[in-house]
Amino acid sequence: MKIYENTGNKDTRSGFGAGLTELGQTNENVVALCADLIGSLKMDAFKANHPERFYQVGIAEANMIGIAAGLTIGGKIPFTGTFANFSTGRVYDQIRQSVAYSGKNVKICASHAGITLGEDGATHQILEDIGLMKMLPGMTVINTCDYNQTKAATLAVADHNGPVYLRFGRPKVANFTTENQKFEIGKAVNLTEGNDVTIVATGHLVWEALEAAKVLNEEGISAEVINIHTIKPLDSTAILESVSKTGCIVTAEEHNYLGGLGESISRVLAKNKPTPQEFVATNDTFGESGTPAQLMDKYGLSSKAIIQASKKVISRK
Amino acid sequence: MSNIKKLQDLTTQVRRDILRMVHKVNSGHPGGSLGCAEFFVALYEEIMDRKDHFEMDGIGEDLFFLSNGHISPVYYSVLARSGYFSVDELNTFRLINSRLQGHPTTHEGLEGIRIASGSLGQGMSVAIGAAQAKKLNNDSHLIYSLHGDGELQEGQNWEAIMYASAKKVDNIISTIDLNGKQIDGATDDVLPMGSIKQKFEAFGWTVVEIEEGNNIEGILEGMAEAKSRTGKGQPVCILLKTEMGNGVDFMMHTHAWHGKAPNDEQLEIALKQNAETLGDY
């Protein structure tokens, strides 16, 4: 199987920061807003380079979303930055009415998503945001897996006309996708070819899926790993083509199984090709304090959990 | 005919439009709509420097944002009579497949609308964003917005009010419709807000009061004063004292007509008090 090399751990939020910095140079319509988390979101460089296009709104996320919607009227492309929790649940109605229903070209960029935010605990760890955002008509939902992909996605969403939710995280994780890759919204990326099981993963779970595939391969099980960076619109074709070959699927995400990627895929399968599926996701629970690694292990989001789920789903074929 | 008389005639026609629109579908919000009829007419006919065709980006023209979207009847009537779309379309208010949704929206592409509103408290933030886009575009035109007084109970307003003065957004004129009423009764009974004037001033805004918010001349004078205060480093607020249900005697001095349509008999009485001027749609 194809082996991916970790070129060094990096945080996905720094990929966002790098992408935003580049957009500052290349697209004069890009503006950025932040609710008192410039350092956490890695927006420092954009702010320093383009102070006239940077809006510090203070701890007032609802106002930030509204201002972003208003800035689009006048041709600006606003990128808002705060934690995933405060980017979604806290401002859901503002996003729903002023951005999604109004069809505004706002990019809602959310760091510290999921349980790997770590020690701050459940008040800050949102595991429901993908569900919230994918339910909004017209909203594109993207969850990137590493630094390089997050940078590429940040560049790509600026060229997409419409509201986008871009989800990334806090911890330093393996950086394994190619530098300066072309990012196609809504297009799944096949990472390994396999015949026994399809593993579809998003965000931080993509690297875990690759780690799981290596172990499975050593045990004689060939896994096809697909990186679904875009949860909405979902690349149904890629999923259906893969399960036609493997006959079973594991979905893996740093999110509640309710409302997450797994559910979106279940719907595709139920409508087109009923297929045994196992879910690697949190089980309708809040998170807690701990290191990211401890939490991923405790809440069943590790490569170990993917290996177990793969064996189980193969036995159900 | 004097210009003021023209505006007054248009206002009377707008009142008829409001009453007929809500009566036809037996739903909608006539009270606040009637209270703001003079304001909308003055704004669209006299005050705003606007293009005669609609462009979403609104570069090179003044823009208006309605935050308290439930007074859509007055908004639709004035937009239609200002030439954004045909007055015949007022017939479709709140009907299935209409562009004139219960609350204003961009979703159906209705000319003149730049943001959805209805869920309260969001419009000032949007207006501020549009004002900041104007500054980035070196566009010296102004942003106008309208908000209910009861709407100020929504906390997002105060985030926006704090922000606008901190960031010196001085190309915005936000008007508060001070009719003292909301769905459940008088604002002073539902949730007394104290002095709205002092609150805005404490937050660093310039406040202009229009005592006679249902008098065209009073509005024009107050708006001119507000306009003269823009560009001086502070956002500008107008406190517009209006009478909910203005122009229909039995709809005034009560909150009962906030979200209730007149029946056939009531419509007839109300229309008699507002004789046709420019012609019904």
Side-chain angles (χ1 to χ4, degrees), chain B residues 191-266:
Chain B
L191 186 72
M193 287 179 281
S195 167
I196 291 173
K197 179 170 190 261
Q198 284 176 20
K199 284 184 168 62
F200 269 92
E201 286 175 344
F203 276 73
W205 285 54
T206 295
V207 177
V208 174
E209 292 179 279
I210 298 181
E211 292 295 332
E212 291 184 60
N214 294 112
N215 176 320
I216 292 272
E217 288 171 279
I219 294 169
L220 291 176
E221 195 181 316
M223 296 297 279
E225 169 71 12
K227 200 170 169 179
S228 76
R229 305 282 191 95
T230 58
K232 298 188 190 318
Q234 286 188 315
V236 179
C237 164
I238 290 176
L239 298 180
L240 183 76
K241 292 185 188 164
T242 68
E243 180 61 49
M244 193 185 257
N246 186 59
V248 178
D249 58 6
F250 61 88
M251 290 187 174
M252 294 163 71
H253 313 296
T254 172
H255 68 274
W257 296 90
H258 168 90
K260 191 177 107 175
N263 61 27
D264 294 350
E265 194 185 338
Q266 290 161 335

Side-chain angles (χ1 to χ4, degrees), chain A residues 28-29 31 33 52-76 90 93-104 137, chain B residues 56-59 63 65 67 101 103-108 114-120 122-134 136-137 156 159-161 163-164 167:
Chain A
E28 62 177 16
N29 286 323
V31 298
L33 302 89
E52 76 291 351
R53 284 194 266 150
F54 182 83
Y55 302 96
Q56 167 63 276
V57 298
I59 311 165
E61 294 82 5
N63 190 39
M64 176 168 73
I65 295 297
I67 291 173
L71 279 160
T72 66
I73 302 162
K76 305 303 162 196
R90 189 179 182 91
D93 190 46
Q94 284 78 14
I95 295 173
R96 182 176 181 275
Q97 174 172 283
S98 293
V99 176
Y101 185 43
S102 294
K104 296 304 181 201
Chain B
M56 179 55 82
D57 280 354
I59 292 168
L63 307 181
F65 293 92
S67 189
Q101 291 288 297
H103 292 79
T105 165
T106 61
H107 203 254
E108 283 75 23
R114 291 191 167 83
I115 197 79
S117 61
S119 177
L120 294 172
Q122 299 185 25
M124 196 178 294
S125 302
V126 174
I128 290 167
Q132 294 197 295
K134 286 237 176 281
L136 278 182
N137 290 334
Q156 186 183 343
E159 294 182 3
I161 292 164
Y163 176 92
K167 303 289 177 173

Side-chain angles (χ1 to χ4, degrees), chain B residues 61-159:
Chain B
E61 61 180 327
D62 293 341
L63 307 181
F64 170 72
F65 293 92
L66 176 67
S67 189
N68 48 332
H70 56 274
I71 65 167
S72 57
V74 64
Y75 197 11
Y76 294 148
S77 167
V78 171
L79 285 177
R81 294 199 177 269
S82 300
Y84 285 97
F85 53 87
S86 161
V87 291
D88 292 340
E89 202 168 346
L90 297 176
N91 264 315
T92 69
F93 175 61
R94 285 186 173 235
L95 296 178
I96 190 92
N97 299 325
S98 173
R99 300 197 297 170
L100 277 58
Q101 291 288 297
H103 292 79
T105 165
T106 61
H107 203 254
E108 283 75 23
L110 187 66
E111 297 83 359
I113 312 279
R114 291 191 167 83
I115 197 79
S117 61
S119 177
L120 294 172
Q122 299 185 25
M124 196 178 294
S125 302
V126 174
I128 290 167
Q132 294 197 295
K134 286 237 176 281
K135 285 186 180 261
L136 278 182
N137 290 334
N138 294 315
D139 180 349
S140 61
H141 285 81
L142 295 175
I143 300 293
Y144 293 90
S145 64
L146 181 66
H147 315 262
D149 49 359
E151 187 183 8
L152 294 177
Q153 291 156 5
E154 290 282 6
Q156 186 183 343
N157 286 304
W158 300 98
E159 294 182 3

Side-chain angles (χ1 to χ4, degrees), chain A residues 223-263:
Chain A
E224 182 147 296
V225 177
I226 298 177
N227 174 6
I228 289 273
H229 49 64
T230 307
I231 292 153
K232 184 186 173 189
L234 190 63
D235 190 345
S236 311
T237 308
I239 294 159
L240 290 169
E241 274 176 9
S242 182
V243 297
S244 297
K245 190 168 54 171
T246 63
C248 65
I249 188 167
V250 171
T251 53
E253 59 193 307
E254 192 182 342
H255 190 273
N256 194 350
Y257 78 91
L258 293 167
L261 166 70
E263 272 195 357

Side-chain angles (χ1 to χ4, degrees), chain A residues 53-316:
Chain A
R53 284 194 266 150
F54 182 83
Y55 302 96
Q56 167 63 276
V57 298
I59 311 165
E61 294 82 5
N63 190 39
M64 176 168 73
I65 295 297
I67 291 173
L71 279 160
T72 66
I73 302 162
K76 305 303 162 196
I77 307 171
F79 282 64
T80 67
T82 182
F83 291 171
N85 193 19
F86 314 134
S87 292
T88 56
R90 189 179 182 91
V91 291
Y92 197 62
D93 190 46
Q94 284 78 14
I95 295 173
R96 182 176 181 275
Q97 174 172 283
S98 293
V99 176
Y101 185 43
S102 294
K104 296 304 181 201
N105 192 22
V106 175
K107 316 304 170 186
I108 299 161
C109 303
S111 182
H112 293 55
I115 208 158
T116 52
L117 173 148
E119 292 81 354
D120 277 352
T123 54
H124 287 50
Q125 295 161 337
I126 192 160
L127 296 162
E128 308 90 44
D129 55 326
I130 291 174
L132 285 169
M133 299 309 279
K134 80 178 185 184
M135 281 195 295
L136 289 170
M139 182 67 69
T140 294
V141 179
I142 296 171
N143 185 23
T144 49
C145 68
D146 70 355
Y147 174 96
N148 285 342
Q149 190 176 67
T150 309
K151 182 181 174 190
T154 304
L155 299 174
V157 300
D159 292 329
H160 169 83
N161 187 20
V164 173
Y165 179 59
L166 178 59
R167 181 193 209 238
F168 43 89
R170 172 178 180 248
K172 290 192 163 83
V173 295
N175 188 29
F176 60 95
T177 64
T178 52
E179 211 177 340
N180 303 320
Q181 63 195 273
K182 184 170 176 345
F183 186 92
E184 277 186 76
I185 294 171
K187 181 83 179 140
V189 182
N190 274 37
L191 292 173
T192 67
E193 287 196 20
N195 296 309
D196 299 326
V197 60
T198 300
I199 304 173
V200 176
T202 191
H204 292 149
L205 269 290
V206 176
W207 179 252
E208 297 296 323
L210 287 171
E211 293 285 280
K214 262 197 280 191
V215 174
L216 289 168
N217 191 48
E218 284 162 15
E219 296 180 20
I221 298 167
S222 111
E224 182 147 296
V225 177
I226 298 177
N227 174 6
I228 289 273
H229 49 64
T230 307
I231 292 153
K232 184 186 173 189
L234 190 63
D235 190 345
S236 311
T237 308
I239 294 159
L240 290 169
E241 274 176 9
S242 182
V243 297
S244 297
K245 190 168 54 171
T246 63
C248 65
I249 188 167
V250 171
T251 53
E253 59 193 307
E254 192 182 342
H255 190 273
N256 194 350
Y257 78 91
L258 293 167
L261 166 70
E263 272 195 357
S264 288
I265 289 178
S266 291
R267 181 180 166 280
V268 170
L269 297 175
K271 278 178 69 94
N272 298 283
K273 185 176 174 54
T275 305
Q277 178 180 3
E278 288 292 325
F279 297 78
V280 172
T282 57
N283 185 18
D284 198 17
T285 182
F286 291 104
E288 62 178 289
S289 292
T291 67
Q294 287 169 338
L295 291 165
M296 292 288 267
D297 185 53
K298 177 167 177 177
Y299 287 84
L301 302 175
S302 59
S303 59
K304 195 169 70 182
I306 297 172
I307 293 165
Q308 283 168 357
S310 298
K311 289 178 180 171
K312 188 173 176 192
V313 81
I314 288 167
S315 76
R316 288 174 54 203

